[in-house]
Amino acid sequence: MAFYYPEESYTFSEYLLVPGYSSSDCRPENVDLKTPLVKFKKGEEPRISLNIPMTSAIMQAVSGEKMAVALAQEGGISFIYGSQSVEDEAAMIARVKSFKAGFVVSDVNLTPDLNLADVLELRAQSGHSTMPVTHDGTPNGKLLGIVTSRDYRVSRLDKNTKVSEIMTPFEKLIYGEDGISLSEANDLIWEHKLNQLPIIDKDQNLVSLVFRKDYDTHKNNPREILDEKKRYIVGAGINTRDYAERVPALIEAGADVLCIDSSEGFSEWQKLTLDWIREHYGDSVMVGAGNVVDAEGFRFLAEAGADFIKIGIGGGSICITREQKGIGRGQASAVQDVAKARDEYFEETGVYIPICSDGGIVYDYHMTLALAMGADFLMLGRYFARFDESPSNRVSVNGTYMKEYWGEGSARARNWQRYDLGGNKNKLSFVEGVDSYVPYAGSMHDGVDVSLAKIKSTMCNCGALTIEELQQKAKLTRVSATSIVEGGAHDVLLKDKTEHFENSFRS
């Protein structure tokens, strides 16, 4: 006879947090959102911790290299999507690891034989007024000079004037040598009253530029998450099919942590993948697994060697697994069940395996609910897809700016490896995701700041200053459909609906 769970499965919208006693210390500025990313033994520290409980989903429309850098600056981590060639994913990882905060690889470069008309055209196209002059016009060619807006006056110069005549030549430039720290570079900028400082290698080839205007920007990233070499930490998605080829390439490229990207993790395919990684790399390679929705699934992946475990099937906004296959579980119930299993496993073994709530986040307050129910961190797709830093296109739909957003189970993604159940068919038999739009939301930094402010404020209402304390002190109550209506603006005519909904974020 089939097994029936004794309760219905519930979503985050069916719960509210009940306030607890708040001391005078419970102020948002005192809240610490640091949380473990990977497993650790009792009394030890995890090898990687997040400074905010946010990771970006392993999706084509979400986690590219630009998102990886931006989220690492905020204190979270991106998992570069694996539904691309091994070479392309490894190249993305390598670019993130080689990115140095404040050191900008020039994307607008000149050669000496170009003229002022070319300079003006490039400036109009790019918006950049600083243009290095290299011998071959490449970002890493031999540096011959720099052209800035101070080097020419359009009204007094013929537009056929050569770049070699208007540029500040190399001999007159102040520059830094490759290997200089950002602090040292900024010291040179301030000492010599520069707007930018070129960085060159021993052969005079241009490496990067450091800009005066970026100084304050980098001071504004106190949460950034770095490795021991001061490089941004980045994750990578893998699948259960080509791991023998993909994993070595990603590790070589510098990936700090891997995650098996699969629609369902309670599977021998995941165990075989984890076994192969442990056989070839031991515990030196950290890898998450999932997704699961109950205690049995958690225990299976824990014993298989996962470093963290993802929770959630069918709860994503672009996921239609439940209506296509009838598989899944309400995300709130799944998190509660797995969190209990995580705690029991910790008591038995002394090994704490962090759990990640993946999907089902509609409002900002759902994030706090997921953490209170036991999630150590969140994986977010639609939330991050809305921002400038996501790799998808910004388009106008009926006069409103939107960002394209599609599921990994959609026909557009063609990610058959994520949904593969074995066999030789290298295609999706049917889709489990949709192609859609989400409202464009501008800069990720601004959006994340607002979301974190709400999380911290709610935690203070619960008398908690850390995520662990929130999980110990949280009091939760289920709510009726009528209570949900009561919780929003009701029985009034809103003066400005736009402002209301912008401040009541739907991720």
Side-chain angles (χ1 to χ4, degrees):
M1 179 179 173
F3 173 80
Y4 289 84
Y5 284 86
E7 285 191 338
E8 298 172 313
S9 66
Y10 297 96
T11 68
F12 293 129
S13 287
E14 295 171 282
Y15 285 88
L16 286 175
L17 282 156
V18 176
Y21 170 73
S22 301
S23 73
S24 58
D25 289 330
C26 286
R27 301 190 303 273
E29 61 267 27
N30 292 336
V31 173
D32 182 0
L33 293 177
K34 189 173 183 178
T35 191
L37 177 71
V38 294
K39 69 182 178 184
F40 59 95
K41 293 181 180 179
K42 189 174 184 178
E44 297 180 356
E45 290 294 319
R47 285 187 283 172
I48 300 178
S49 292
L50 304 173
N51 290 327
I52 64 172
M54 292 181 172
T55 65
S56 64
I58 312 170
M59 301 175 69
Q60 296 172 9
V62 180
S63 293
E65 58 200 82
K66 188 175 181 182
M67 176 63 70
V69 169
L71 187 50
Q73 289 174 339
E74 297 298 331
I77 186 173
S78 286
F79 287 88
I80 299 293
Y81 64 93
S83 51
Q84 57 180 321
S85 72
V86 173
E87 295 77 16
D88 287 346
E89 185 179 10
M92 278 193 178
I93 294 292
R95 287 192 290 269
V96 174
K97 296 306 290 186
S98 64
F99 184 93
K100 297 170 73 176
F103 293 84
V104 179
V105 176
S106 178
D107 57 358
V108 180
N109 305 280
L110 305 168
T111 57
D113 58 336
L114 294 176
N115 56 36
L116 179 58
D118 297 317
V119 172
L120 297 176
E121 182 180 354
L122 280 172
R123 180 175 178 175
Q125 290 176 355
S126 67
H128 299 325
S129 59
T130 297
M131 303 180 192
V133 182
T134 59
H135 80 286
D136 58 359
T138 65
N140 301 118
K142 186 174 182 179
L143 183 63
L144 303 179
I146 284 184
V147 173
T148 72
S149 57
R150 295 187 300 178
D151 291 316
Y152 57 85
R153 292 183 67 178
V154 177
S155 60
R156 296 189 178 185
L157 280 178
D158 188 298
K159 290 187 179 180
N160 291 316
T161 305
K162 296 292 185 183
V163 165
S164 58
E165 298 177 42
I166 62 175
M167 71 182 187
T168 300
F170 178 79
E171 294 74 22
K172 294 184 179 181
L173 294 176
I174 304 296
Y175 57 85
E177 296 182 352
D178 193 20
I180 190 174
S181 70
L182 183 58
S183 177
E184 292 168 336
N186 280 318
D187 287 344
L188 282 175
I189 287 174
W190 288 95
E191 179 183 347
H192 295 280
K193 299 180 180 179
L194 306 172
N195 287 325
Q196 72 285 317
L197 180 76
I199 308 299
I200 62 171
D201 65 16
K202 58 183 177 58
D203 296 318
Q204 199 179 312
N205 294 315
L206 180 64
V207 175
S208 58
L209 298 169
V210 178
F211 290 92
R212 184 189 190 99
K213 65 181 177 61
D214 287 341
Y215 177 79
D216 289 337
T217 300
H218 302 302
K219 287 293 184 182
N220 289 334
N221 293 324
R223 298 187 297 249
E224 63 184 4
I225 180 169
L226 306 170
D227 65 16
E228 69 281 355
K229 295 180 181 178
K230 306 299 183 184
R231 302 173 302 179
Y232 288 126
I233 287 180
V234 61
I238 62 173
N239 61 68
T240 59
R241 298 291 285 186
D242 66 3
Y243 51 83
E245 177 188 1
R246 190 173 295 268
V247 170
L250 298 177
I251 297 304
E252 177 67 23
D256 296 283
V257 59
L258 307 176
C259 184
I260 302 172
D261 181 31
S262 175
S263 62
E264 206 278 294
F266 195 177
S267 157
E268 186 178 6
W269 300 106
Q270 295 226 355
K271 184 179 186 304
L272 292 172
T273 305
L274 291 166
D275 286 346
W276 186 92
I277 292 172
R278 297 302 173 224
E279 178 185 350
H280 289 81
Y281 294 95
D283 292 329
S284 65
V285 170
M286 294 168 281
V287 54
N291 287 15
V292 298
V293 292
D294 64 4
E296 192 178 4
F298 170 86
R299 176 71 66 157
F300 172 80
L301 290 177
E303 293 176 348
D307 285 288
F308 66 84
I309 293 172
K310 289 202 296 149
I311 308 163
I313 294 176
S317 59
I318 40 64
C319 183
I320 55 173
T321 292
R322 295 181 191 175
E323 63 183 63
Q324 289 282 62
K325 295 168 62 176
I327 290 286
R329 193 178 189 187
Q331 189 68 4
S333 296
V335 170
Q336 293 170 45
D337 196 359
V338 174
K340 182 180 178 183
R342 184 264 326 274
D343 293 343
E344 291 173 350
Y345 187 85
F346 181 51
E347 286 295 318
E348 292 174 24
T349 66
V351 176
Y352 187 92
I353 302 178
I355 56 175
C356 166
S357 178
D358 177 17
I361 302 292
V362 180
Y363 299 97
D364 274 341
Y365 82 88
H366 288 175
M367 300 182 191
T368 318
L369 282 170
L371 296 171
M373 290 175 182
D376 295 284
F377 59 95
L378 317 169
M379 182 167 278
L380 304 164
R382 182 170 52 148
Y383 178 85
F384 286 119
R386 306 169 305 130
F387 297 126
D388 288 320
E389 292 80 2
S390 75
S392 64
N393 295 320
R394 187 181 73 170
V395 297
S396 178
V397 179
N398 297 325
T400 300
Y401 279 122
M402 310 287 283
K403 290 274 281 185
E404 293 182 313
Y405 180 47
W406 60 96
E408 288 298 297
S410 67
R412 179 172 181 174
R414 297 190 297 277
N415 186 6
W416 66 272
Q417 296 98 328
R418 188 177 198 273
Y419 297 86
D420 180 47
L421 296 177
N424 298 316
K425 291 194 301 180
N426 295 353
K427 65 179 182 179
L428 290 169
S429 299
F430 55 89
V431 297
E432 295 186 43
V434 299
D435 195 351
S436 64
Y437 300 105
V438 288
Y440 168 65
S443 163
M444 186 186 76
H445 174 77
D446 296 336
V448 167
D449 269 359
V450 171
S451 298
L452 295 180
K454 293 179 183 178
I455 292 172
K456 290 180 177 181
S457 179
T458 305
M459 288 174 62
C460 288
N461 292 146
C462 296
L465 295 177
T466 66
I467 292 173
E468 183 180 7
E469 190 177 11
L470 174 66
Q471 292 168 352
Q472 294 169 351
K473 292 184 175 181
K475 297 183 293 183
L476 294 119
T477 181
R478 284 209 297 267
V479 295
S480 67
T482 307
S483 296
I484 294 172
V485 173
E486 179 187 61
H490 60 92
D491 301 312
V492 293
L493 180 64
L494 295 177
K495 292 182 178 180
D496 190 341
K497 291 184 180 180
T498 301
E499 179 181 357
H500 169 73
F501 286 109
E502 283 180 353
N503 292 324
S504 303
F505 162 73
R506 291 174 64 95
S507 61

